[in-house]
Amino acid sequence: NAGVTQTPKFQVLKTGQSMTLQCAQDMNHEYMSWYRQDPGMGLRLIHYSVGAGITDQGEVPNGYNVSRSTTEDFPLRLLSAAPSQTSVYFCASSSPDSSLLLHFGNGTRLTVT
Amino acid sequence: GESVGLHLPTLSVQEGDNSIINCAYSNSASDYFIWYKQESGKGPQFIIDIRSNMDKRQGQRVTVLLNKTVKHLSLQIAATQPGDSAVYFCAGGYYGGSQGNLIFGKGTKLSVKP
């Protein structure tokens, strides 16, 4: 199993551009989530999903959209990138019976200039 | 508000020594705590967890201690090795709950000197 796969690994955007960060998992996990990691801030939850068709906002959802059309995929969309969105983004998945034992991808490092 | 924090941002230990990483939490309703390890350039990985009905849980070379009275938990790593060098995060939430209630601390960077 590949686990949680995130693409791309690195991305540079100009302010105002849009893009989608991809996340796929092959563990048949119902729960998926997106975090951003900034220096000195730990991991902060952006959006999460408890199953296909269901999403909810986390601590820092502004500027990001998500959808969950399949169990495997949970893309994160930046509609109009801002320098404040420069960060490392992690996708995670878990199963309902171990909902907080998160399996993380290796992250996407995003720079917005 | 709710928070999970760590006492020290960095910790340096000699190879072979024991390491202790501390964490404090503010939400007394949290009943489940997890330690994650993050190596450079990778995502966090689960190390060990503990529910609030326990005071101590042991894994392979790692032990987590939970003191509910003072809302404090610690991660002890025995015979620390160079491969233990990483950032360690504690996280607190509700057992069986969604990720929406899981709060991460800011992390402690452990450096192991050979």
Side-chain angles (χ1 to χ4, degrees):
Chain A
N1 287 349
V4 179
T5 303
Q6 290 184 239
T7 55
K9 286 185 170 39
F10 301 94
Q11 182 71 49
V12 179
L13 291 177
K14 293 190 188 320
T15 297
Q17 286 185 316
S18 62
M19 80 158 294
T20 299
L21 280 63
Q22 301 291 345
C23 176
Q25 52 93 9
D26 61 2
M27 296 172 283
N28 202 32
H29 284 167
E30 291 187 41
Y31 292 5
M32 296 186 75
S33 48
W34 277 101
Y35 292 85
R36 60 177 289 173
Q37 184 175 41
D38 302 297
M41 297 293 290
L43 288 155
R44 292 184 293 169
L45 182 64
I46 304 172
H47 285 285
Y48 64 103
S49 169
V50 297
I54 305 168
T55 63
D56 209 342
Q57 296 182 349
E59 180 187 357
V60 288
N62 292 342
Y64 308 95
N65 273 4
V66 292
S67 60
R68 184 99 179 270
S69 55
T70 68
T71 299
E72 294 77 20
D73 301 296
F74 191 41
L76 179 72
R77 297 184 195 84
L78 281 70
L79 303 175
S80 178
S84 61
Q85 294 178 304
T86 293
S87 189
V88 182
Y89 292 85
F90 289 99
C91 179
S93 72
S94 62
S95 62
D97 58 355
S98 302
S99 58
L100 302 185
L101 292 192
L102 306 180
H103 298 254
F104 284 88
N106 282 330
T108 294
R109 183 175 293 274
L110 176 67
T111 303
V112 183
T113 61
Chain B
E2 215 176 313
S3 69
V4 176
L6 293 167
H7 290 301
L8 292 173
T10 61
L11 177 66
S12 183
V13 300
Q14 204 72 37
E15 182 178 356
D17 288 351
N18 296 335
S19 303
I20 299 176
I21 300 171
N22 295 304
C23 182
Y25 62 96
S26 62
N27 186 358
S28 54
S30 295
D31 65 358
Y32 184 56
F33 302 92
I34 309 165
W35 283 97
Y36 287 91
K37 172 186 179 183
Q38 185 178 25
E39 296 175 348
S40 180
K42 296 187 177 180
Q45 285 182 294
F46 167 81
I47 303 173
I48 192 167
D49 59 351
I50 188 167
R51 295 183 66 177
S52 61
N53 59 356
M54 303 172 71
D55 297 322
K56 179 180 180 179
R57 190 162 191 220
Q58 289 184 290
Q60 188 178 11
R61 282 199 309 115
V62 294
T63 300
V64 55
L65 299 177
L66 176 63
N67 185 330
K68 295 178 284 294
T69 302
V70 295
K71 292 188 280 189
H72 178 273
L73 67 158
S74 65
L75 177 70
Q76 300 179 1
I77 304 173
T80 312
Q81 302 169 358
D84 295 325
S85 293
V87 177
Y88 290 81
F89 294 95
C90 64
Y94 305 115
Y95 186 77
S98 76
Q99 307 95 306
N101 301 118
L102 185 64
I103 304 295
F104 282 85
K106 294 179 174 52
T108 289
K109 183 174 182 179
L110 175 65
S111 298
V112 182
K113 296 177 286 187

